[in-house]
Structures are given as structure tokens and as C-alpha cells.
Amino acid sequence: MSDKFDVIVIGGGPGGYVAAIRCAQLGLNTACIEKRINKQDEPALGGTCLNVGCIPSKALLDSSWKYHETESALAEHGVKIKGADLDLDTMLQRKDTIVKNLTGGIAQLFKANKVTWLQGSGQLKAGKQVEFQPLDGGDAQTLQAESVILAAGSVPVDIPVAPVDQNLIVDSTGALEFPKVPKRLGVIGAGVIGLELGSVWNRLGSEVVVLEAVDTFLPMLDKQIAKETQKQMQKQGLDIRLGARVTGSETTKTKVKVTYSDGEGEHTESFDKLIVAVGRRPYTEGLLSADAGVSLDERNFIYVDSQCRTDVPGVYAIGDLVRGPALAHKAIEEGVMVAEVIMEEATQVNYDVIPGVIYTHPEVAWVGKSEEEVKESGEAYKTGVVPFAANGRAMAAGETGGMVKFVADEKTDRILGMHIVGPQASELIQQGAIAMEFGATAEDLQLMVFGHPSLSETVHEAALAVDYKAIHVAQRRRKK
Ligand code: FAD
Ligand code: AMP
């Protein structure tokens, strides 16, 4: 193997593998170093997202929803099923097969694009040198590149009050693997990951208690959407306790006792399993030698400019290692951008239009600014909100909970944000993202023809509602 490359990417997650493929497409001789060993003890590409994140969690969310629907939501459609059986082994194996197919697919894409996959760990040194330590225990090699892309991702945050043992106290990875459905499940952290994984096990029969230190539910969401989401999740049986800070835990052979404090004092709960989902942090251990020259910011993210350049010329960092939302699609687009920056092409990720999604049921999705953010900025604005309860397709599907909301600029009519809680929110949100990317106004959406009956009609109605023109809801004019 040559020790010289045009580009070396460290990390083969959604940021790194996409960057490597795009670099190769642009004619650069590219290597991607990835050290992950999967559950089957094999080297694997795909990073957190494909192996233990987005994909396996969505596989379990879909499977658990089907089980829940069969058990309790089909009867209203006149479909009566007696005694649906849960075969958890099959459900978990199906998830593993999906992961294996997808990660194997990336290895194929590397081959097709002639990206060299170096199985082992990489460390950036001074002068764009990279020390590569192979997984097979062979000698370390010093490699040289014109450009280096750091894409080492993130790992779960640990808290000393609930140390993860991957048995009774697990992180998000352990929560994808429970061998049987825990009777009582505790979740620390009502963030996206805690709510998604709590929902999976709740649907499969666990009694779930979510303990969240902050007393606002999903503070990053538009307030009106957060309120409806909290209502919907509590209706499903998630016991969400806000303002509840976990202060300690104790394990016996089969139980975990958790203490937490809230406004009323100290409390204790006993669980069969506990998921710690208190956030993720950039994974920089072993990534940078002392003389690498790359700086970190105050939160330990690698410091980069808007095009992901670090302080060292020719060294870039992307994805969960750097500022911005820790989302796979953000990492992917940064990977593409950096490859194009290396080729001196004009390119820029639009950080103002990155959709966020929570894959609960109903789903929650948003893009752009919340009403509160716009209010705070002092811009004059208008909103349009329409519930799915007024939508024929939602009724047909028995999915009438939730709403679509637009926030638009009062003067220019430009769409500033779109917020959804409701059926297929993860798909519908892209309509707002496309509209915003093209600088659309609410009127642009008002003038478009939407297929009937479709959930998208609620997007149309919400855009109409911005100017009191919604047809299927009675609107009262706000007083100016
Ligand atoms: P990662 O995916 O973390 O990949 C980094 C890779 O680098 C890892 O495989 C690691 O082994 C490797 N690496 C690290 N250091 C080295 C080194 N020194 N040498 C060699 N290799 C190294 N995001 C979404 O957008 N949608 C979702 O639905 C979603 N669901 C999620 C669910 C869960 C349970 C979790 C945990 C995360 C989820 N995320 C989701 C977040 C998403 O997984 C991350 O934002 C995304 O994986 C970040 O991509 P990345 O390429 O920056 O890093
Ligand atoms: P996220 O960063 O979106 O994954 O969310 C993690 C959540 O965990 C945040 O809302 C934190 O407030 C919450 N959290 C962190 N530490 C604790 C703790 N000790 N007890 C309860 N909640 C916590």
C-alpha cells in the first residue's frame, strides 16, 4: 500500500464515508480510516448512525409500532386480532440484518469508487501526517496526505450518578439490545434519543418513566408544538417527569434503584433497566497528537469555520465533531461540502435550513425558526396553524393528532420556519425545507395545487392560515 494519498478521512460514519466517496468522485486518491468492530466482530463502516444510531433505532421504532398497532390500534379499523405475539428475537435480528446490509453496502460503494478502506485507527499529526494503527495488530504506519478530513463523530455522555454497565444501566447502544422487554424501564433525559428509545419499549409493553432535569419539555421546539407533543406522548403512556434531576443510582442483581430530586424533594424509583440518554459529546480521544495543531472550542468541539476548515490549513473537520446539530444529514452535507472545498468549487451548507426530526408517533419535525425565536429577534411575523383533525386523509388513517405550523415574515411573507407534530412529519417537513431553500413566501405555497386527499393538504392549509385564508378550519383574526 502506498503511504501517500490526496485525502485521508478519519472516521467512516455518514460524514466520513460520504466525504470519501465525494472526494473519489472528484478524482482524488482517497483513503478512509475506520476502527469500528461491529457486533459480529467484523470491521464495519457506517459509524454511529448505521451501526448503533439512526438506522437500528428506526428499525425498532417501525417494528414496535407495527406490534402496538396490531395490538391496539387496528380494532378501530374493524380489524380484530386476538393475542398478537411478540417475537423479540426476530425483531432484533431483523434490525441487525438491516444494519448489516447497509454497512456492507458502503463497503461496496468504497470498492466501486476506489476509496481505500484502512481498517484501524488514525491519529492526526503535524504536517498533515496521519499515524495509522491497523486493527489486525500489524505495525503502525505513517501516512501523508494533501488534505485530511476529521470525521470521528461522537459518543454518549456519561454521568457519574448512573454509570453505564450495559446490563442494568445502558446507553443508547445497550437500549437497542434488551434480550427481553423490561417490565419497568427508566430513561434519564427527555431528549430526542431518550424519547425514541423510551417509545420503542413502551410500545412493546414496558412501563416507562422518563426523568428530565430541565423543566421545559423539548426546549428547542416551537412552544406550541412542544406542548402538543408532550400531550401526545403522555397519552401513549410515557410517564415524563420534568424538573427531575437524577442524583444517584444503585444496582442489585436484577434491579436498579434511582434517586432523583424535583421541586418537591427527593424521590426513589426502582427499574428493571435504566437508559442513560443525556446527550453526546465529540469523540476526540486518540484522534489528535499533541503537535496536531488543531484547536478545540470551549465545548470541546473541533473549531472550524463555516466551510469546516480547522486552524491547520488542509485539515478539515465535519459532523458530530464540530458545532451545529448532531444529525447524520448535517454530517453528510458537510462531507460533500469539504470534498468540494478541497477542489476549490463554490459550495456552502445552508445551516439555516437543516430539518430536525423526532421519530416518535406521531413524529415531530421542524426547520428554520420557532415562533419564540422570531419574536425574540424583534422581526414582525405572522403564523398559520392547522390541525390534522381537519384533514380527510388523516381521518382515514386514524392519525388526527397534531398540527402543521408556519412562521412567516409579516412584511416580506418569506417563510421563516415550519413546525409539525403529526403523521409523516419526517416526510412533510421537507416541503418546508424546499420552500425555504428557494426563498418561498407563504403565498407561493398558497398558490400551489396539493393532491387530495393527502396529509400534505395540511401543509397547504397552514400556509393559507398565515393570511386567514384556510378553508377547512374556522380562523379568528388576531388582534393587531
Ligand atoms: P459517527 O457516525 O459517530 O462516525 C464516526 C466514526 O468514526 C465511528 O464509526 C468511529 O468508530 C470512527 N472513529 C472515531 N475515531 C476514530 C479514529 N481515531 N480512527 C478511526 N476511526 C475513528 N441522526 C439523524 O440525523 N437522524 C436520526 O434518526 C438519528 N438517530 C440517532 C439515534 C441514536 C440512538 C443515536 C445514538 C444517534 C442518532 N442520530 C441521528 C445521530 C447520528 O447518528 C449522528 O449525528 C451521526 O452518526 C454523525 O455522523 P459522523 O460521521 O459525524 O460520526
Ligand atoms: P439531548 O442532549 O437532547 O440528548 O438530551 C439529553 C437530556 O438529558 C437533556 O435534556 C438534559 O437536561 C438531560 N439530563 C442530563 N443530566 C440529567 C440528570 N442527571 N437527570 C435528568 N436529566 C438529565
Side-chain angles (χ1 to χ4, degrees):
M1 185 188 76
S2 156
D3 58 0
K4 286 199 174 55
F5 292 91
D6 295 330
V7 181
I8 295 177
V9 184
I10 305 181
Y17 84 72
V18 169
I21 290 174
R22 186 74 191 116
C23 284
Q25 282 177 347
L26 292 168
L28 298 165
N29 176 20
T30 306
C32 179
I33 306 180
E34 171 57 66
K35 66 177 179 180
R36 181 175 293 272
I37 303 272
N38 66 13
K39 257 176 82 171
Q40 292 81 22
D41 254 345
E42 293 157 356
L45 292 166
T48 304
C49 177
L50 271 63
N51 288 282
V52 291
C54 329
I55 298 301
S57 62
K58 263 81 264 178
L60 290 186
L61 278 157
D62 277 336
S63 295
S64 60
W65 180 254
K66 286 192 193 297
Y67 175 68
H68 166 80
E69 219 179 11
T70 309
E71 268 226 307
S72 39
L74 292 183
E76 71 164 293
H77 291 264
V79 181
K80 293 201 173 143
I81 293 174
K82 279 197 202 105
D85 266 345
L86 173 65
D87 177 353
L88 184 59
D89 282 348
T90 301
M91 198 178 278
L92 297 179
Q93 274 163 26
R94 174 184 176 275
K95 161 197 65 105
D96 292 343
T97 306
I98 294 167
V99 168
K100 211 165 176 340
N101 287 344
L102 276 174
T103 54
I106 302 208
Q108 293 302 322
L109 286 173
F110 271 16
K111 269 201 192 119
N113 285 284
K114 301 198 169 43
V115 173
T116 306
W117 172 14
L118 299 175
Q119 299 174 353
S121 48
Q123 184 179 65
L124 177 72
K125 299 167 72 168
K128 290 183 285 184
Q129 288 196 328
V130 173
E131 172 124 326
F132 168 57
Q133 176 64 60
L135 276 174
D136 64 12
D139 291 340
Q141 268 176 277
T142 302
L143 311 175
Q144 181 73 51
E146 294 292 321
S147 307
V148 178
I149 304 175
L150 304 172
S154 63
V155 286
V157 166
D158 297 320
I159 43 173
V161 290
V164 167
D165 59 16
Q166 295 300 27
N167 174 30
L168 291 176
I169 305 182
V170 302
D171 58 17
S172 57
T173 303
L176 300 167
E177 303 292 343
F178 292 147
K180 66 179 205 219
V181 179
K183 202 159 176 297
R184 252 175 92 67
L185 171 65
V187 180
I188 311 181
V192 177
I193 294 175
L195 290 172
E196 288 187 358
L197 294 173
S199 296
V200 165
W201 296 103
N202 177 235
R203 292 167 191 172
L204 298 180
S206 295
E207 193 186 316
V208 178
V209 178
V210 184
L211 301 169
E212 167 56 57
V214 171
D215 50 17
T216 313
F217 185 61
L218 295 171
M220 70 287 202
L221 292 190
D222 183 278
K223 252 198 190 125
Q224 197 175 359
I225 299 293
K227 198 169 155 211
E228 174 69 15
T229 305
Q230 189 176 358
K231 199 175 97 192
Q232 295 280 344
M233 292 198 181
Q234 265 157 349
K235 206 163 105 188
Q236 278 167 29
L238 288 184
D239 178 353
I240 300 167
R241 302 186 191 167
L242 300 177
R245 175 169 292 279
V246 173
T247 50
S249 64
E250 228 175 86
T251 52
T252 63
K253 227 168 164 193
T254 53
K255 299 269 179 209
V256 43
K257 208 169 80 180
V258 173
T259 45
Y260 70 92
S261 59
D262 61 15
E264 283 159 22
E266 284 262 310
H267 309 267
T268 307
E269 282 284 354
S270 176
F271 300 113
D272 300 293
K273 297 275 183 192
L274 178 67
I275 304 174
V276 181
V278 295
R280 296 180 64 82
R281 61 175 177 83
Y283 183 34
T284 48
E285 282 90 338
L287 180 67
L288 307 168
S289 72
D291 62 356
V294 164
S295 347
L296 305 184
D297 70 14
E298 65 286 354
R299 294 174 59 215
N300 279 334
F301 290 101
I302 291 186
Y303 174 77
V304 287
D305 70 7
S306 64
Q307 287 185 314
C308 293
R309 290 179 193 87
T310 69
D311 282 345
V312 178
V315 176
Y316 304 83
I318 59 175
D320 283 10
L321 266 185
V322 304
R323 83 284 174 269
L327 293 168
H329 43 285
K330 177 260 195 186
I332 288 170
E333 295 312 324
E334 288 182 333
V336 171
M337 173 173 73
V338 163
E340 293 172 358
V341 166
I342 290 171
M343 292 304 285
E344 297 181 1
E345 292 184 5
T347 176
Q348 180 60 55
V349 170
N350 183 355
Y351 287 102
D352 292 335
V353 185
I354 297 180
V357 180
I358 312 178
Y359 292 83
T360 44
H361 203 106
E363 294 177 339
V364 188
W366 65 100
V367 63
K369 290 183 178 159
S370 65
E371 180 174 350
E372 292 72 35
E373 282 171 318
V374 177
K375 193 184 258 175
E376 207 167 293
S377 73
E379 288 170 77
Y381 69 93
K382 46 190 182 173
T383 61
V385 186
V386 169
F388 283 101
N391 178 298
R393 186 72 198 278
M395 274 185 218
E399 303 266 6
T400 49
M403 60 186 75
V404 177
K405 174 171 182 174
F406 277 109
V407 185
D409 188 295
E410 173 78 54
K411 286 195 212 103
T412 65
D413 197 37
R414 286 271 282 258
I415 296 166
L416 302 174
M418 182 192 194
H419 310 272
I420 311 175
V421 49
Q424 308 283 335
S426 61
E427 302 294 337
L428 296 177
I429 198 65
Q430 206 56 32
Q431 300 184 18
I434 292 169
M436 287 177 69
E437 194 65 49
F438 282 88
T441 59
E443 188 185 33
D444 289 327
L445 291 186
Q446 291 167 3
L447 293 172
M448 281 178 197
V449 181
F450 285 69
H452 173 78
S454 67
L455 296 172
S456 298
E457 286 178 291
T458 301
V459 174
H460 192 205
E461 287 273 7
L464 288 164
V466 165
D467 293 313
Y468 301 95
K469 296 197 269 185
I471 303 294
H472 298 93
V473 285
Q475 283 191 282
R476 238 183 316 142
R477 246 172 213 283
R478 277 184 301 270
K479 286 199 187 87
K480 291 269 167 185

